């Protein structure tokens, strides 16, 4: 693979014959994007989302109304971190899929004069 023997592509867990190379990776990322968007819309439509909108508009007022603002902030930041983690997994998958070998670097060291 890519000029490197023994370097395997990513496969679907449990199904070693199904490779995650090319278009399947794109479809997985596209479905993940749509699901993330729908999750965000669902959160905003619930009471948790309404409190978050209130915190965005006036944090002190939400505290005076009795909402635990640090708890809500921790919850939404944790959800944001999980979303960033899933996107970094797709970035890692793309780097894994398009990995270039370092054999080109060996040519540069042969061209460099000895000191």
């Amino acid at each position: 693979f890519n000029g490197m023997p023994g370097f395997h592509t990513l496969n679907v867990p449990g199904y070693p014959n199904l490779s995650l190379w090319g278009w399947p990776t794109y479809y997985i990322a596209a479905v993940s994007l749509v699901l993330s968007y729908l999750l965000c819309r669902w959160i905003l439509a619930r009471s948790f989302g309404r409190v978050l909108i209130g915190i965005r508009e006036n944090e002190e007022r939400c505290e005076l109304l009795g909402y635990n603002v640090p708890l809500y902030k921790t919850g939404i930041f944790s959800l944001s971190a999980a979303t960033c983690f899933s996107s970094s997994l797709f970035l890692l998958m793309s780097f894994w899929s398009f990995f270039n070998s370092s054999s080109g670097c060996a040519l540069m060291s042969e061209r460099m004069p000895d000191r």
Side-chain angles (χ1 to χ4, degrees):
F1 176 75
N2 243 353
M4 295 175 56
F7 190 76
H8 304 289
T9 60
L10 291 175
N11 297 330
V12 177
Y15 300 99
N17 295 333
L18 295 177
S19 176
L20 292 177
W21 169 259
W23 286 105
T25 305
Y26 169 75
Y27 289 129
I28 290 171
V31 167
S32 174
L33 175 68
V34 170
L35 289 176
S36 296
Y37 174 75
L38 292 175
L39 177 68
C40 290
R41 296 292 297 186
W42 182 77
I43 288 173
L44 282 178
R46 302 290 174 244
S47 62
F48 183 75
R50 298 293 177 198
V51 174
L52 291 175
I53 292 171
I55 291 172
R56 180 189 67 193
E57 296 298 327
N58 193 341
E59 185 175 336
E60 185 178 347
R61 181 183 291 170
C62 286
E63 283 184 11
L64 292 175
L65 287 173
Y67 292 108
N68 189 355
V69 173
L71 182 66
Y72 279 94
K73 282 184 167 184
T74 303
I76 198 63
F77 283 134
S78 299
L79 184 65
S80 174
T83 305
C84 290
F85 176 73
S86 67
S87 66
S88 67
L89 284 179
F90 288 120
L91 182 65
L92 181 66
M93 282 175 50
S94 67
F95 284 156
W96 181 278
S97 298
F98 299 109
F99 182 80
N100 291 323
S101 68
S102 61
S103 63
C105 297
L107 295 175
M108 288 300 291
S109 64
E110 291 176 3
R111 290 187 214 156
M112 300 288 286
D114 293 332
R115 290 184 180 218

